[in-house]
Amino acid sequence: MKTETISRGNSPLFGGRKPLFTQKELLRLTGPLLVEQLLEVTVGMADTMMVSRCGEAAISGVSLVDMINNLIIVLFAALATGGAVVVSQFLGAREQENANKSSGQLILLSGVFGLLVGAFCFVLARPMIRLCYGAIDADVLDASVLYLRVIALSYPFLAVYNGGAALFRSMGNSKISMQISFLMNVINIVGNAVCIFGLKMGVEGVAWPSVVSRVAAAALILRKCYQKGNAITVPKTTRLDARMTKRILGIGIPSAFENSLFEAGRILVVSMISTFGTVQIAANAVANNLDGMGVIPGKALSLAMITVVGRCVGAGDSEQAIHYTRKLTLWSYIAMGLSNGAILIFLRPLVGIYALSGETMELAILLVRIHAACAILLWTLSFVLPNALRAANDVKFTMVVSVLSMAVWRLGFSYIIGVRMGMGAVGVWIAMVVDWICRVICFVARFQSGAWKTKYKA
């Protein structure tokens, strides 16, 4: 391989080779991702507040379907991750034709998968909800079915948007997805306000703005994808390429399996907490809300990790892959320290925003302290570092570790100390921290071993 002169800054780190990313390029990638994650959390909170005005049956129905929604979003995100890794690797290897071809396959796969999932949920909405939640009140069931059927119409468009956003992240241009995400959230929140407060549409007033916003987002991201001048020329294809499809699904399926089981595990944990009484249920809900804000920077950097390490792996440069993994890990530690440190400093006023009784407030504060303090030390290596392994095609290892750790520690240990030993929600959150420690040990050992370097095949 011929040594290149480094116009973007010679670095002895890589033996005179050209750095694949400058500091400016890394910031340009991670900054918009941070804004996008922040938007997702804050708009979600605003949506919940507005939905609560539609009545108890409506809010109950929407909240039940949201758990199904989260699972489906995880599946779409896993497919997009598979595509992002493959495209990033081809770009790193400077195989432009394959990068273009894989991008077209990702868009096509996303659309087909979204159509299948949407049709399935629309037709089987009622039996799905009965299967997931058993016997629920008739009005809640009707609200859930109506909401799921309307929202299912948006699934093909959401899948396509996720695929397109992943492509722009692969190109190192997350600004596009941030801008479209901002518009999508504005349409959603304004539409909810108009339909709920103005038109008094109830459950449908919550669902239709989501459909409209996702249709708009998909149309805009496709328009951007097919514009000239991008680092990738996305072909307009209607035929599946077996080799490319296999490569994308080879990463997407293990990720989907891992993340869907993780979501299922979270549902089981919540069902355990629901047996502890109203005080613990409410405290857990508030703590989850605040903790979601604390991990926003970590989630943004975990997305950036896929693009950066995937590009390095595709270029066959494991030295740069290690360098940028360590760099983004350090950035995540700093950002997570700042976000969770701020939550710890202002914890009591933040919890005070919620209308809680004294006992519930004190328990919520304790749970947030457990999460925030431990997240500063453990969250990055538990959830950001494994994306470097996934970007190197080491997806089976991350899947096995995540699934087993969830089953043994997050679920099994929660039952032992939370239910059997009577520690309640505090016991469940301690079990969560033990799960993180297990993940840290496994993922750090795997990264240090270098076994992930052998998983990528050009």
Side-chain angles (χ1 to χ4, degrees):
M1 180 178 174
K2 187 180 178 181
T3 302
E4 300 178 54
T5 303
I6 307 173
S7 60
R8 56 172 69 186
N10 285 307
S11 172
L13 284 173
F14 312 127
R17 296 189 306 281
K18 187 178 182 180
L20 291 168
F21 292 89
T22 64
Q23 189 93 337
K24 185 178 180 181
E25 286 169 339
L26 287 177
L27 290 171
R28 198 163 57 219
L29 173 65
T30 56
L33 289 174
L34 183 61
V35 175
E36 201 172 335
Q37 292 296 315
L38 182 61
L39 276 171
E40 187 178 320
V41 172
T42 53
V43 172
M45 291 172 68
D47 273 357
T48 301
M49 291 171 61
M50 285 191 282
V51 171
S52 66
R53 302 296 184 92
C54 297
E56 291 184 4
I59 186 63
S60 299
V62 170
S63 65
L64 292 179
V65 173
D66 274 346
M67 288 196 171
I68 297 172
N69 264 332
N70 289 339
L71 182 58
I72 288 165
I73 289 169
V74 159
L75 295 177
F76 292 159
L79 178 60
T81 295
V85 168
V86 172
V87 173
S88 295
Q89 289 172 349
F90 280 133
L91 286 174
R94 298 188 179 182
E95 297 181 25
Q96 189 66 47
E97 185 179 346
N98 281 329
N100 296 343
K101 191 182 294 184
S102 60
S103 68
Q105 289 298 299
L106 176 58
I107 295 295
L108 179 59
L109 278 172
S110 298
V112 171
F113 185 49
L115 278 171
L116 292 174
V117 172
F120 181 87
C121 291
F122 185 88
V123 173
L124 299 175
R126 190 172 294 272
M128 276 179 67
I129 291 167
R130 284 196 180 279
L131 178 65
C132 290
Y133 301 111
I136 55 178
D137 292 343
D139 56 347
V140 175
L141 176 62
D142 290 340
S144 298
V145 171
L146 177 59
Y147 181 64
L148 180 54
R149 281 182 173 157
V150 175
I151 210 73
L153 300 175
S154 74
Y155 289 159
F157 303 99
L158 178 61
V160 168
Y161 168 75
N162 278 350
L167 289 183
F168 279 102
R169 288 197 298 271
S170 299
M171 296 182 233
N173 183 3
S174 56
K175 185 179 178 181
I176 296 293
S177 61
M178 179 197 72
Q179 292 171 336
I180 296 175
S181 175
F182 178 79
L183 179 62
M184 178 168 60
N185 284 307
V186 167
I187 292 171
N188 190 36
I189 201 167
V190 171
N192 280 350
V194 171
C195 293
I196 292 170
F197 300 126
L199 303 178
K200 312 292 184 186
M201 291 174 64
V203 170
E204 286 188 275
V206 181
W208 282 113
S210 295
V211 175
V212 173
S213 67
R214 289 170 179 178
V215 170
L220 287 170
I221 203 82
L222 283 177
R223 183 183 174 190
K224 290 289 185 181
C225 282
Y226 293 122
Q227 274 184 349
K228 294 181 180 180
N230 292 326
I232 296 172
T233 302
V234 182
K236 296 178 181 178
T237 179
T238 56
R239 302 180 74 179
L240 288 175
D241 180 311
R243 185 176 68 89
M244 285 296 179
T245 298
K246 182 179 178 182
R247 189 160 179 166
I248 291 170
L249 294 182
I251 297 166
I253 289 176
S255 296
F257 185 71
E258 172 191 335
N259 293 334
S260 60
L261 285 183
F262 183 80
E263 288 297 322
R266 288 185 65 187
I267 292 170
L268 289 174
V269 167
V270 170
S271 71
M272 283 187 212
I273 292 173
S274 68
T275 66
F276 302 149
T278 305
V279 167
Q280 302 216 20
I281 294 171
N284 181 74
V286 170
N288 272 326
N289 228 327
L290 292 175
D291 295 336
M293 298 184 70
V295 300
I296 285 172
K299 286 184 174 182
L301 285 159
S302 69
L303 290 173
M305 187 74 84
I306 286 179
T307 296
V308 174
V309 177
R311 193 85 63 86
C312 296
V313 168
D317 197 330
S318 59
E319 188 181 356
Q320 292 205 47
I322 292 169
H323 170 77
Y324 287 117
T325 297
R326 289 175 174 166
K327 191 182 190 85
L328 291 177
T329 298
L330 176 61
W331 284 14
S332 180
Y333 262 107
I334 293 170
M336 290 286 289
L338 291 172
S339 61
N340 286 281
I343 287 173
L344 288 171
I345 291 170
F346 300 105
L347 180 52
R348 195 165 286 277
L350 286 170
V351 176
I353 294 171
Y354 301 85
L356 303 176
S357 66
E359 183 184 1
T360 306
M361 175 179 281
E362 292 307 317
L363 179 57
I365 288 172
L366 175 59
L367 295 179
V368 176
R369 279 178 178 156
I370 292 171
H371 187 284
C374 295
I376 292 172
L377 299 173
L378 302 171
W379 202 93
T380 292
L381 295 178
S382 297
F383 297 102
V384 179
L385 178 61
N387 266 4
L389 301 177
R390 292 184 186 101
N393 288 17
D394 199 7
V395 288
K396 289 183 181 177
F397 179 83
T398 59
M399 177 186 72
V400 170
V401 168
S402 299
V403 170
L404 290 181
S405 186
M406 163 65 83
V408 173
W409 298 117
R410 185 79 66 106
L411 293 177
F413 204 44
S414 286
Y415 179 75
I416 292 171
I417 65 175
V419 179
R420 303 298 297 178
M421 294 175 62
M423 292 183 67
V426 173
V428 169
W429 286 56
I430 290 172
M432 173 193 69
V433 174
V434 176
D435 170 37
W436 291 357
I437 292 171
C438 176
R439 290 167 184 261
V440 168
I441 293 169
C442 294
F443 293 141
V444 170
R446 183 69 165 189
F447 183 73
Q448 294 289 3
S449 74
W452 53 272
K453 297 176 187 177
T454 65
K455 300 298 177 181
Y456 171 71
K457 295 177 182 179

